[in-house]
Amino acid sequence: MMRFCWVLNIPKLLVSMVFLLGSVSCVYVPYPVPADVKYIENATFPEDAILTLGPRDLLADVAESITEIGTNIEVIDGEFFRDTAFPEGDWTLNNLLIPETCSRINEELEVDYLVLVSSKGVVVGEEEGFYVPLLVGAMVVDKETTVDAMLLDLKTGKSVCRISSEAHGTEKIFIWVIVIVATGPFTDSSAITGLGEEIVRVIEKNSKSEKIRIAIMAVESIIKEGGEN
């Protein structure tokens, strides 16, 4: 099960009401939403891009999504990959993409691709609605999750593509005296699943091997975008 899953956004008004009433009955009903997957062209990393192993939950969820769909894809241990790729430290992308470094990693670990993940996290909109104290209320709030990934071919040291997966939905909360019923979108898991599916599709399209080994890391610096399609 994904750890970087949906997180119920509790509006300030709802928190205030819970404190006022002291005891409420809450029902939360999550629902799936589709992911909007796009390719970003001419995307490059800034010179100071640093590769990391966190947030670990996000990387673990991306790995789970990829391996569940691509049964011929193996994700190697992140720390083992990092220590092999950066034996002297300097966890920068520029250091990694030196041709000699890519060749060494590919030969020593037999790793075909590196997936670099960056997340814009969850964006929650403004609350809209009404509330009559101790009687009735209703409110909605938009929620959006975006997760990006750059796929690097370690045989050539070049970028294959950059993929952005975005999921959007609306949380709705209905209040009747001390009963609260809320519905919320699975934006986090939907965005990650959409990203994983597209990564698998690209890897299987570009690789003819029966068994494919990849590594997954996160990038701290924001990717510079040259354009979208």
Side-chain angles (χ1 to χ4, degrees):
M1 178 179 292
M2 290 188 176
R3 288 156 294 277
F4 186 74
C5 294
W6 59 267
V7 177
L8 173 60
N9 169 62
I10 303 179
K12 295 177 182 177
L13 182 58
L14 180 56
V15 174
S16 299
M17 194 202 74
V18 170
F19 277 112
L20 283 173
L21 296 179
S23 177
V24 296
S25 176
C26 299
V27 178
Y28 185 78
V29 182
Y31 65 91
V33 292
D36 180 19
V37 180
K38 299 181 291 186
Y39 283 82
I40 300 177
E41 296 182 345
N42 304 320
T44 59
F45 287 90
E47 295 180 356
D48 63 346
I50 303 296
L51 307 188
T52 72
L53 295 177
R56 290 182 181 270
D57 285 351
L58 173 59
L59 298 187
D61 287 341
V62 172
E64 180 182 338
S65 176
I66 291 173
T67 54
E68 282 185 350
I69 301 165
T71 55
N72 63 327
I73 297 177
E74 176 189 356
V75 179
I76 72 167
D77 180 75
E79 290 189 13
F80 181 48
F81 175 84
R82 182 191 63 187
D83 293 343
T84 302
F86 305 99
E88 304 297 329
D90 187 14
W91 302 353
T92 62
L93 181 63
N94 283 348
N95 182 30
L96 173 69
L97 294 185
I98 296 172
E100 293 78 10
T101 302
C102 284
S103 177
R104 174 175 55 80
I105 295 171
N106 181 251
E107 292 178 3
E108 292 183 11
L109 299 179
E110 298 183 342
V111 178
D112 303 295
Y113 297 97
L114 172 62
V115 178
L116 291 176
V117 178
S118 63
S119 172
K120 296 178 182 176
V122 179
V123 177
V124 179
E126 293 293 326
E127 304 161 10
E128 297 182 4
F130 69 95
Y131 174 57
V132 179
L134 304 179
L135 183 58
V136 65
M139 64 188 71
V140 296
V141 59
D142 289 334
K143 181 181 178 184
E144 179 182 293
T145 301
T146 304
V147 184
D148 296 351
M150 179 80 84
L151 183 63
L152 299 175
D153 187 335
L154 289 176
K155 293 187 180 70
T156 64
K158 295 181 179 180
S159 169
V160 178
C161 64
R162 180 191 168 193
I163 303 167
S164 179
S165 180
E166 178 182 296
H168 175 271
T170 302
E171 286 186 343
K172 300 178 181 179
I173 300 174
F174 305 94
I175 305 165
W176 178 254
V177 190
I178 62 170
V179 177
I180 300 173
V181 179
T183 61
F186 276 129
T187 58
D188 295 4
S189 56
S190 294
I192 292 173
T193 298
L195 182 69
E197 290 175 346
E198 198 61 24
I199 289 173
V200 171
R201 192 189 71 79
V202 173
I203 289 176
E204 292 182 343
K205 177 182 177 181
N206 286 273
S207 178
K208 306 302 180 183
S209 304
E210 292 185 1
K211 192 69 175 179
I212 303 165
R213 285 165 60 88
I214 70 172
I216 301 177
M217 296 189 73
V219 60
E220 286 189 353
S221 299
I222 299 176
I223 302 171
K224 297 177 180 177
E225 299 178 8
E228 296 186 10
N229 70 339

